[in-house]
Amino acid sequence: MIELYTAGTANGQKVSIMLEECGLPYNPHIVNFAAGEHLSPPFITLNPAGKIPAIVDPEGPNGEPFALSQTLAIVLYLAEKSGKFVPKDIWERAEAYRYMSLVASDISGAFTGLFVFTHMHPQSTTQVVDHFQAQAARNLRVLDKRLGDSPFLAGNAYSVADILAYPVAASSVKGLPEQLGPYPNLRRWSEEIAERPGVKRGMAVGAP
Ligand SMILES: N[C@@H](CCC(=O)N[C@@H](CS)C(=O)NCC(=O)O)C(=O)O
């Protein structure tokens, strides 16, 4: 049974969705940030950065316990372990990599910036907030354009790219001001993915 250290955040949900979609049994541990659990010595042994998500797979690559952090690395590890959700076709696989990179760097960076400067430091200047809001909108437009051309991010089939993009994209289409873009294709995709039973169960892990 895989041990999952998570919280009700988009990064945590990406991993719980992946575990659910792959049908891999797991045991969720909800890390309490307010109590500083993410900075406690036992947690730091799992991820020296003190951030969720992290997993411990008791049956790792050599049949031995294996701890892993970093959302993208965990999702790719689970994809290899289960043999699921990585496109077989090289073109679709490259497209999956493209959108996974976009999520891990550009989209996560933009939304982390927005969160930090609106929630953690609400006294921040409007220029800083405007900057991150514009970056968020710009990257959501990239997803929206892609989803206007193909049903899923990698192409015709649901893949790791959709699993990584869904939690933040889904909350964004609801939360961003309408003038930053209606994102009709992103909305269509996000409504379809929201109906998947594994996504519903994965999104519920750590939810308040
Ligand atoms: N690059 C890391 C980022 C993980 C991350 O930012 N986790 C946040 C929650 S979504 C966290 O644990 N924050 C606690 C902190 O910053 O102290 C990943 O992709 O896993």
Side-chain angles (χ1 to χ4, degrees):
M1 174 91 76
I2 292 174
E3 305 296 327
L4 167 66
Y5 297 84
T6 188
T9 68
N11 282 325
Q13 288 159 341
K14 292 170 197 173
V15 175
S16 46
I17 290 174
M18 184 67 181
L19 285 159
E20 290 284 351
E21 291 280 33
C22 293
L24 291 167
Y26 67 102
N27 187 20
H29 304 266
I30 309 305
V31 174
N32 184 338
F33 290 132
E37 281 176 13
H38 57 307
L39 302 174
S40 67
F43 189 78
I44 293 289
T45 63
L46 299 180
N47 181 0
K51 294 186 178 190
I52 65 93
I55 61 165
V56 178
D57 181 358
E59 291 165 38
N62 300 323
E64 289 172 11
F66 176 57
L68 188 62
S69 58
Q70 289 296 338
T71 311
L72 180 59
I74 297 172
V75 168
L76 283 173
Y77 171 73
L78 298 174
E80 278 199 48
K81 189 177 171 82
S82 64
K84 292 183 180 166
F85 302 116
V86 175
K88 301 271 179 287
D89 175 82
I90 187 166
W91 305 114
E92 292 213 352
R93 200 158 64 246
E95 291 294 356
Y97 294 159
R98 179 212 299 258
Y99 292 101
M100 289 163 74
S101 300
L102 186 83
V103 171
S105 53
D106 306 53
I107 294 183
S108 293
F111 280 94
T112 301
L114 253 186
F115 179 79
V116 167
F117 293 112
T118 52
H119 290 84
M120 293 171 72
H121 302 291
Q123 75 285 10
S124 303
T125 63
T126 54
Q127 285 98 323
V128 172
V129 174
D130 287 352
H131 168 79
F132 284 106
Q133 206 162 56
Q135 293 305 313
R138 175 187 193 175
N139 289 306
L140 292 178
R141 277 197 298 276
V142 174
L143 296 184
D144 192 62
K145 163 86 177 64
R146 171 63 176 166
L147 293 166
D149 297 337
S150 71
F152 296 100
L153 289 171
N156 289 320
Y158 179 70
S159 78
V160 275
D162 303 292
I163 291 171
L164 279 164
Y166 175 75
V168 75
S171 58
S172 318
V173 289
K174 290 190 203 128
L176 273 184
E178 196 64 19
Q179 68 269 25
L180 291 181
Y183 311 112
N185 307 306
L186 197 54
R187 204 174 286 274
R188 180 268 306 156
W189 165 90
S190 121
E191 283 167 3
E192 188 179 331
I193 291 182
E195 291 307 311
R196 296 179 66 91
V199 169
K200 286 189 177 159
R201 290 192 300 271
M203 289 295 285
V205 175

